[in-house]
Amino acid sequence: MRKLFPLLLLLFTLQPILSQRPEGGPGNGSAPVIISGIVLDQETNQPLEYATLVLQSIDNPDKVTGGITDIDGKFSVETSPGKYNARIEYISYKTKQIPNQDFTQSTDLGTIKLALDVAQLNEVDVVGERTTVEVRLDKKIYNIGKDLTISGATVSDALNNVPSVNVDVDGAISLRGNENVRILINGRPSALAGFGSTEALQQLPADAIEKVEVITSPSARYDAEGTAGILNIILKREKTLGFNGSINLYAGHPTNAGATVNANLRTDKFNFFTTIGYRKRTGPGNGFFDNSYFPRISTDQNGNDSIVDPEFSRIIEDRKIDRQNEGYNINIGSEYFFSETSSVTATYFRRVSDGTDITNIYSDRFKSTFFDETFRQEIENEDDTNWQFSLNYLNKFNNDGEELTAAFQYSKGDEYVFSNFEDTTPEVYPRTIDAIEDQNDILLQIDYVLPIGEDSQFEIGYRGTFEEERTPYVVNDFDPTINEFRLNNNLSNEFTYYQDVNAFYTQYGNKLGEKLSFLAGLRLENTRLTGILITESDFLQEFAGEVDLNFKKNYLGLFPTANLTFEIAERENITLGYNRRINRPRSWFINPNPSQTSRTNVFQGNPDLDPAYSNTFDVGYLKRWDKLTLTSSIYYQHETNSFERIQESTGLFTDDNIEIIRSIPFNLATNIRTGAEGSVMYNPNRKMRFTGSINIFQFKTEGSFNGQEWGTTNTSWFARFNSKITLPAKIDWQTNFFYRGPSANAQTETKSLYGLNLAFSKDILKGNGTVSLNVRDLFNTFKRQSYTDTPFFTSDNEFQWRVRQITASFMYRINEQKKRGRPQRNDDEGEEEGF
């Protein structure tokens, strides 16, 4: 049966061609003719395997036949005599048209050379040894499909291997050291990315990723969200005819087991594609907090000050975290081709996960000396379901690049979390929390591209995003007088958050002569933010202070962009970029509910947050040699109303008289960030590849909150080194090393950290299979260590999200040979485009 299934798929794929017998062929007595030739790369003169010859009858256009080239780029196709329009097609290359051919006898078309179609290069999936990075006018594209260390890993793990990107121990993603980065999936906000949260990216398999676009100077076509820039994750999707796919099985310690299946079936009219993944994972982590409390000044209602001594002078918390998560995801879609220039694509995505987190907190409490030891346990059960449906239409009006695209996307996410808290402290009784997060998103988008002449292009479009997030929050405390749980009206509430953004944009690009290209645009965005808190308690208002917990805000802004490239030589250029962007506060930064994991260290959102705005300038330099590529840039960013998280005393106390410290975000006045980054890629031969990158930046912040200045100046840096070496017996060895230097803000100093990943792999089963072994965080050092100093307390803490991970995996490819694709070019480290 296993052998029969691929045969049936092959017959199904070839049926449209086999059923279209050419007129005058063997079926009506005419002798067939042979059409032959050879297809080469125009620049390298290397043969193009799997290029397609299409023969369409002029007398009857519904009659189509053809064939593909062999490993030497040669084709030989049998057809009936007649008049044909012929064409040669190859993915990522410009189609060669050979019209009005009278094939009355066997014909040798000779050597046909195809040129790269750079405008479509970013849409191509090549399975073999691909370019490491493609450099465009407004972005860099990193192909990570060959990264051995991501087998069995998550999307977050894969992003941490991309230059300019950093994923910290909490899963927070930053670009050039700035966490205000926009995450997109296939160019759009998506439920796959958790509606802007990074938590979902720690569950999705990295195997589904084809490449990552790092967009530090986005053009006007992109959403203006994210002052640091955009990370666009492109998922795998094959475009070659026939059936192909892959199966990846993996298992590791601590428990990390699962499977990912990618499959694609392409015919003349349809393209079916799917990615299915299952994962079971445990995530042992740990944390440590050492808080010291000092006497504080308290002011009564009459304005009289007094010194209040803390109940405890020091509290040490030791946290042990055990995460258990099981879930699956499926992404399935189909593209229907109305014609060669028009198609519609429908996709459906669903992610379901069921997790249990057990957090044990052991606390030593001191007055002057050791006083006692307490224990708190939180058991959190989380059921999470996200699904998304999208519909995309594409119409290419001609071969000059005029096209219209339209998209509709609906996303829905439901998250139910039940938490149970139990303490050994006599004054603290058990507590349960039911938290529900229900989110609905709608996206509408339309884009029109009009080429003007050979070297210029005009574009216009609209995008609307409409988000609604509802979060009921029910807290029940155990009442010993009645021996049952009772509703806590002080903390129970329901918060609903709306964010509607309507945007219009236009941009124009031109190539001036042989050296200069530019792309300039303007985007108009209107943002409406609404927050509604339903509660019967005055406690939250007291906890939040003078902040209005219900709000309506409306913002209208213009966001200009400009990108320019000057080509110094064929492999050397300079780029200039400018853009203005916005950072809208996400719901968890606005929701006023204080967290409950710790009674003394809580996080609370700030409903008074306003969007931040930035102006960024970027100058880049690229130089390529035969085996070496250098990319570098310097940048300057001036951000107003930037977000900052600080810790402060709330003036409130727990039942056992311990002061509550909260972490809260607020708007600073300004944040000026300057930096420089560089990346070197060196390929001495086919068996070695080395990549190194470094980013050095300084930020200067100014602003105050609650009467205290929070300005500071700090310089930090991070670097990474990647190497891939082919050892004897054709074993691939890959090493990834990451280092982040120390950093500080007005309150907190964060120590440096580093991590080392290793991976080994070998092809088996005649190249159809690959076995691999990888170790993430080999030395178990990926921990955040920081020290916070305020007038009333100090906090020394350490946090590790997950301990060292060892994973073994096996991948099997079906009709997906690793060497298939366009041949290597001499300048395979990068590609450019005008606009």
Side-chain angles (χ1 to χ4, degrees):
M1 183 66 184
R2 287 181 297 174
K3 295 182 179 179
L4 181 61
F5 181 64
L7 179 60
L8 292 175
L9 289 172
L10 179 63
L11 291 174
F12 176 75
T13 302
L14 295 178
Q15 189 272 337
I17 293 178
L18 296 176
S19 63
Q20 296 174 3
R21 178 174 297 175
E23 291 184 332
N28 59 18
S30 300
V33 297
I34 303 296
I35 310 302
S36 59
I38 183 171
V39 182
L40 305 178
D41 181 289
Q42 179 175 290
E43 185 173 335
T44 65
N45 286 323
Q46 295 187 43
L48 296 179
E49 184 185 8
Y50 294 102
T52 304
L53 169 68
V54 179
L55 299 174
Q56 185 175 32
S57 172
I58 295 178
D59 297 331
N60 187 353
D62 291 334
K63 302 297 183 180
V64 180
T65 187
I68 62 173
T69 59
D70 60 17
I71 192 172
D72 297 316
K74 296 179 180 180
F75 62 86
S76 180
V77 176
E78 180 180 288
T79 187
S80 59
K83 293 183 179 181
Y84 292 89
N85 287 322
R87 64 180 184 272
I88 306 293
E89 298 177 341
Y90 191 65
I91 297 176
S92 82
Y93 284 74
K94 295 181 179 179
T95 298
K96 179 71 173 182
Q97 302 285 350
I98 309 176
N100 299 319
Q101 297 296 307
D102 192 356
F103 294 137
T104 57
Q105 58 184 358
S106 295
T107 303
D108 184 358
L109 296 177
T111 299
I112 301 169
K113 296 186 177 182
L114 300 184
L116 271 174
D117 187 352
V118 180
Q120 297 181 5
L121 191 60
N122 65 321
E123 300 176 357
V124 180
D125 180 18
V126 181
V127 182
E129 296 285 346
R130 300 198 42 190
T131 46
T132 302
V133 60
E134 300 165 15
V135 180
R136 304 295 174 85
L137 190 61
D138 59 348
K139 60 191 171 187
K140 295 183 180 71
I141 305 173
Y142 294 95
N143 305 301
I144 63 174
K146 292 293 296 177
D147 193 336
L148 307 179
T149 63
I150 69 170
S151 182
T154 67
V155 171
S156 288
D157 298 328
L159 290 177
N160 213 23
N161 294 340
V162 176
S164 303
V165 179
N166 178 31
V167 182
D168 70 11
V169 294
D170 298 302
I173 299 171
S174 62
L175 179 59
R176 291 174 166 176
N178 188 345
E179 292 186 4
N180 299 330
V181 58
R182 180 67 155 166
I183 308 295
L184 303 178
I185 304 290
N186 293 334
R188 298 183 180 92
S190 172
L192 280 76
F195 298 108
S197 169
T198 59
E199 184 176 347
L201 300 180
Q202 300 176 42
Q203 302 175 17
L204 292 173
D207 300 333
I209 301 178
E210 175 191 345
K211 54 193 174 185
V212 176
E213 297 180 346
V214 179
I215 311 171
T216 53
S217 185
S219 66
R221 169 183 268 227
Y222 293 99
D223 184 0
E225 171 73 24
T227 55
I230 296 172
L231 292 179
N232 185 25
I233 301 170
I234 306 296
L235 302 182
K236 290 179 179 178
R237 179 170 148 199
E238 183 62 72
K239 292 182 178 289
T240 52
L241 287 173
F243 176 78
N244 54 78
S246 63
I247 302 173
N248 188 21
L249 307 175
Y250 57 89
H253 176 79
T255 303
N256 178 31
T260 303
V261 178
N262 290 293
N264 205 105
L265 176 63
R266 172 73 184 266
T267 68
D268 287 333
K269 284 292 185 181
F270 285 96
N271 185 25
F272 301 97
F273 51 91
T274 185
T275 298
I276 302 173
Y278 169 79
R279 186 184 197 90
K280 184 174 184 179
R281 193 182 199 194
T282 62
N286 54 81
F288 176 83
F289 294 83
D290 186 351
N291 294 348
S292 295
Y293 302 88
F294 310 129
R296 59 187 298 270
I297 299 176
S298 177
T299 304
D300 60 23
Q301 295 179 350
N302 298 322
N304 299 317
D305 295 336
S306 60
I307 297 178
V308 179
D309 291 323
E311 177 71 15
F312 296 96
S313 60
R314 184 183 182 190
I315 297 179
I316 299 175
E317 287 187 359
D318 189 11
R319 300 186 185 184
K320 303 298 182 183
I321 307 168
D322 181 20
R323 302 182 186 88
Q324 302 176 21
N325 183 271
E326 183 177 15
Y328 73 87
N329 60 275
I330 179 171
N331 185 34
I332 186 169
S334 177
E335 184 175 9
Y336 176 75
F337 302 93
F338 297 107
S339 65
E340 295 179 1
T341 59
S342 179
S343 66
V344 62
T345 305
T347 59
Y348 175 78
F349 167 80
R350 185 177 181 87
R351 178 175 64 87
V352 176
S353 65
D354 182 9
T356 300
D357 291 357
I358 302 175
T359 303
N360 295 322
I361 303 178
Y362 304 87
S363 299
D364 291 334
R365 304 194 296 181
F366 297 80
K367 292 193 174 179
S368 57
T369 59
F370 177 77
F371 179 74
D372 65 5
E373 182 180 71
T374 65
F375 172 74
R376 156 173 274 212
Q377 183 179 73
E378 176 192 4
I379 301 177
E380 180 181 278
N381 297 304
E382 178 178 330
D383 295 325
D384 194 0
T385 301
N386 288 279
W387 66 270
Q388 174 180 293
F389 173 77
S390 61
L391 196 63
N392 300 275
Y393 173 75
L394 168 65
N395 189 357
K396 296 182 178 180
F397 296 99
N398 50 49
N399 294 326
D400 296 328
E402 182 182 4
E403 66 178 37
L404 174 71
T405 58
F408 166 80
Q409 180 175 289
Y410 176 76
S411 306
K412 182 174 178 59
D414 295 299
E415 180 180 293
Y416 172 72
V417 180
F418 175 78
S419 302
N420 181 59
F421 299 85
E422 292 193 7
D423 291 74
T424 59
T425 308
E427 302 90 341
V428 182
Y429 296 107
R431 167 175 289 176
T432 66
I433 297 177
D434 289 274
I436 301 173
E437 182 176 307
D438 182 11
Q439 180 157 346
N440 297 276
D441 288 5
I442 295 176
L443 180 144
L444 302 172
Q445 182 172 340
I446 186 167
D447 301 281
Y448 173 69
V449 179
L450 175 65
I452 303 174
E454 295 184 358
D455 298 321
S456 61
Q457 181 174 290
F458 172 78
E459 188 172 345
I460 191 171
Y462 162 81
R463 173 185 284 189
T465 56
F466 311 94
E467 304 176 10
E468 176 190 6
E469 182 175 323
R470 176 178 164 271
T471 53
Y473 194 74
V474 179
V475 180
N476 292 284
D477 289 331
F478 183 77
D479 188 343
T481 60
I482 59 175
N483 201 35
E484 63 182 38
F485 283 89
R486 184 191 295 270
L487 179 68
N488 185 328
N489 289 315
N490 280 333
L491 296 178
S492 300
N493 60 81
E494 180 177 314
F495 183 70
T496 304
Y497 178 61
Y498 299 91
Q499 177 179 289
D500 297 338
V501 180
N502 287 280
F504 298 87
Y505 82 93
T506 184
Q507 62 184 19
Y508 174 76
N510 201 345
K511 187 172 184 179
L512 306 176
E514 297 295 326
K515 300 291 186 180
L516 186 64
S517 300
F518 76 88
L519 179 64
L522 183 65
R523 189 178 186 92
L524 173 68
E525 288 195 353
N526 175 249
T527 301
R528 290 181 295 175
L529 306 179
T530 304
I532 302 173
L533 181 68
I534 302 175
T535 179
E536 299 179 1
S537 166
D538 295 329
F539 173 79
L540 276 181
Q541 186 65 65
E542 179 184 1
F543 199 83
E546 298 180 358
V547 174
D548 187 0
L549 302 182
N550 293 276
F551 59 88
K552 287 186 178 181
K553 300 179 180 181
N554 196 307
Y555 306 91
L556 183 67
L558 285 173
F559 301 92
T561 64
N563 290 287
L564 181 146
T565 296
F566 179 74
E567 187 174 345
I568 302 173
E570 183 179 356
R571 297 185 176 186
E572 184 179 14
N573 66 50
I574 295 176
T575 59
L576 302 175
Y578 163 77
N579 62 83
R580 182 174 189 260
R581 301 187 61 75
I582 185 174
N583 185 29
R584 305 178 186 93
R586 303 302 300 176
S587 60
W588 59 88
F589 259 37
I590 286 182
N591 193 328
N593 285 325
S595 61
Q596 299 293 322
T597 300
S598 170
R599 296 185 302 117
T600 57
N601 298 278
V602 303
F603 173 82
Q604 183 186 27
N606 181 4
D608 201 34
L609 275 184
D610 291 320
Y613 296 89
S614 71
N615 290 277
T616 304
F617 299 86
D618 187 291
V619 180
Y621 174 76
L622 167 70
K623 174 68 175 177
R624 293 180 301 196
W625 295 268
D626 289 340
K627 298 180 179 181
L628 183 70
T629 297
L630 168 67
T631 59
S632 61
S633 65
I634 57 175
Y635 53 91
Y636 171 86
Q637 182 183 79
H638 185 277
E639 185 175 353
T640 58
N641 266 0
S642 62
F643 302 158
E644 183 68 77
R645 287 175 61 171
I646 56 99
Q647 287 182 294
E648 66 172 8
S649 172
T650 61
L652 303 175
F653 296 85
T654 63
D655 294 333
D656 49 344
N657 204 32
I658 301 176
E659 188 171 8
I660 300 174
I661 297 171
R662 71 173 174 185
S663 175
I664 186 170
F666 71 99
N667 289 114
L668 274 176
T670 59
N671 184 347
I672 298 175
R673 183 181 297 264
T674 57
E677 62 180 349
S679 176
V680 175
M681 289 171 286
Y682 178 54
N683 294 69
N685 52 56
R686 294 182 60 87
K687 294 186 177 182
M688 295 184 181
R689 186 182 72 210
F690 304 98
T691 304
S693 63
I694 186 171
N695 189 304
I696 303 174
F697 56 92
Q698 181 186 80
F699 59 88
K700 179 180 180 181
T701 60
E702 296 179 354
S704 62
F705 182 72
N706 284 345
Q708 184 173 349
E709 292 293 329
W710 296 102
T712 188
T713 300
N714 182 252
T715 300
S716 187
W717 63 284
F718 62 88
R720 56 169 44 88
F721 171 78
N722 300 330
S723 69
K724 184 180 177 184
I725 300 173
T726 301
L727 302 173
K730 296 183 178 180
I731 297 175
D732 287 333
W733 167 29
Q734 185 168 324
T735 303
N736 292 346
F737 176 78
F738 174 81
Y739 178 87
R740 190 188 71 195
S743 62
N745 60 20
Q747 278 190 328
T748 303
E749 296 179 358
T750 302
K751 296 181 180 180
S752 61
L753 63 81
Y754 69 92
L756 179 68
N757 304 327
L758 292 180
F760 299 89
S761 76
K762 179 175 175 57
D763 291 340
I764 58 175
L765 302 176
K766 298 181 180 181
N768 291 315
T770 301
V771 292
S772 64
L773 175 70
N774 68 62
V775 183
R776 301 194 63 82
D777 194 12
L778 177 66
F779 299 114
N780 205 37
T781 54
F782 207 67
K783 305 175 182 180
R784 183 193 66 226
Q785 297 175 301
S786 60
Y787 179 77
T788 299
D789 189 2
T790 77
F792 305 116
F793 70 91
T794 62
S795 179
D796 191 0
N797 62 77
E798 177 182 291
F799 181 75
Q800 184 178 25
W801 177 264
R802 185 176 173 83
V803 299
R804 179 194 302 113
Q805 175 73 58
I806 303 173
T807 304
S809 65
F810 168 71
M811 175 177 284
Y812 183 75
R813 289 172 288 274
I814 305 170
N815 296 335
E816 199 175 76
Q817 295 295 324
K818 292 179 69 177
K819 298 300 180 182
R820 192 175 72 201
R822 69 178 179 88
Q824 288 278 28
R825 298 161 54 87
N826 292 332
D827 57 342
D828 61 352
E829 292 86 358
E831 298 294 343
E832 302 169 60
E833 68 175 357
F835 52 86

